[in-house]
Every structure is written in structure tokens, then in C-alpha cells.
Amino acid sequence: MNAHVLMIDDDARLTAMVRDYLQASGFVVSVAGDLARGRAALQRESFDALILDLMLPDGDGLDLTRELRADPRCRSLPLLMLTARGEPMDRILGLELGADDYLPKPFEPRELLARLKALLRRAAPHDDEALLRFGRLEIDVNARQVRVDGQVCDLTSYQFDILLVLAQGAGRVMSRDQIMDALKGHPMEAFDRSIDVHVSRIRASIEEDPKSPRRILTVRGAGYVFARKQDAEAA
């Protein structure tokens, strides 16, 4: 599948040039001319990378960067800032807020393409990221399977996604709202928002063996936390 890139920039001439250039290189490119349309696109669908201008008609791209890095769903989205604000402090601030790369205008399209490809290579799952191991529990991201001692657990696709969100943030408490935000766009979202019911079923599947340590712990009034190995064994 071709990588889908979102470009948020109000320079129509520039975005048309970049879109044509990247599409000729095999990318799918969507364009938003301001932050409002960019936010709507990010809520509506998933992208493989984001090219973001800083100076936009309705705000500063740095504000959107802060929002994305606070959102579990977009926290790891590869983000390349492309802007006329090329002063060293602008670059430093952008990178400190979570941008993965920074390219000042004017730029060479071939350099943009090379940097974008590098970001996507770094973001691609490696073997150790595609198989998450927690003691006797394995989460196979590519196969979308959960196994305990090699035995496949009976989870729905929605429950797998909930477990994966929690496991990827192991040791960190996640509220129900944060979990739902991370699952936006899932086909089940509009019909079943009962996180508690699904967590209960996940627990029954991965912790049914008395020898299995507790993995998903409830933090009263806050949400859930996926226990790291030592935490689970102590629970």
C-alpha cells in the first residue's frame, strides 16, 4: 500500500507542486489549507506521515504539534515541519515539541522526498516491535493475535486494539477517554463504547490461567494500566 501523507499548508501553489511531486514518487497526498481542516482530516482518517507548516491562517503549527504529541492516536505519527521560519530557535522548539524533522523554505523537492522516506523507514515496525512479549503473554501485531504460552486467546478485533493500546503504554495509567481517543476510526466505535466490558473480557481471556499474572490493573477513578512484568508478578 502506498504511504498516505497529509500536508497542512496554506500556500496553494506550493502544495500543488509538492502533491504532484510526491504522487509521482508513489505517495498518496491529501492537502489541508489551515489548521481546522487539518485537524478534521486527522480525526477522519489515519495517515502515515504529516508535513506541517508553522504559519497558518488560523493559528500556529506548533500548537497542533503539541496536541498531536499529547494524543495517543497520533503520538507516533511521523511529522516533518516545512516552514519559512528557519531560525535556529524555531527549529529547536519544533523538535523539542515532538517534530521528527524540520526543513526550511525554500527547499529542494528531492530533499523533502529523501527526508520523508527516512521518516517512514524509522517509523516502520521492526521485528522486536511487531511482537510484544510480557512474560508468558505475546502480542503479535502483524498477525493480530494474542497468545499465552503459545495458545491463541479468543479476542475480537476491537478487544485486540484495546489491549494493544494499553500494552504499548505499559506502566502508564490511561483513562477511558484516552483509550477511546486512541481507537478513533475503529468500525466498532459508533456501536459500542463500553470499554469496561471489553477490558473485562480481555482479562478473562489472557488471565484465565491461575498461573497467569494480572496484566490489566484498574486504577480507581483514573482508568487502567497495563502492568509491566515486575508489576504484574507483584499484583
Side-chain angles (χ1 to χ4, degrees), residues 3-17:
H4 191 179
V5 178
L6 173 65
M7 184 174 185
I8 305 177
D9 195 304
D10 63 328
D11 186 332
R13 185 175 178 180
L14 175 67
T15 55
M17 181 272 290

Side-chain angles (χ1 to χ4, degrees), residues 134 137 139 146 155 158-176 179 195-208 212-220 223-229 231-233 235:
F134 301 92
L137 175 69
I139 302 175
V146 177
L155 296 178
Y158 194 49
Q159 289 160 7
F160 175 89
D161 288 339
I162 292 173
L163 178 60
L164 182 59
V165 166
L166 291 168
Q168 288 175 332
R172 180 168 58 88
V173 177
M174 296 191 70
S175 69
R176 292 163 181 81
I179 296 171
I195 293 294
D196 295 339
V197 172
H198 288 294
V199 168
S200 176
R201 291 172 181 168
I202 294 168
R203 282 172 168 158
S205 183
I206 68 174
E207 301 173 5
E208 60 181 355
S212 296
R214 294 182 61 198
R215 284 293 172 192
I216 303 176
L217 309 178
T218 300
V219 181
R220 186 169 299 178
Y224 297 103
V225 60
F226 187 94
R228 294 178 295 249
K229 185 174 186 294
D231 301 329
E233 290 175 346

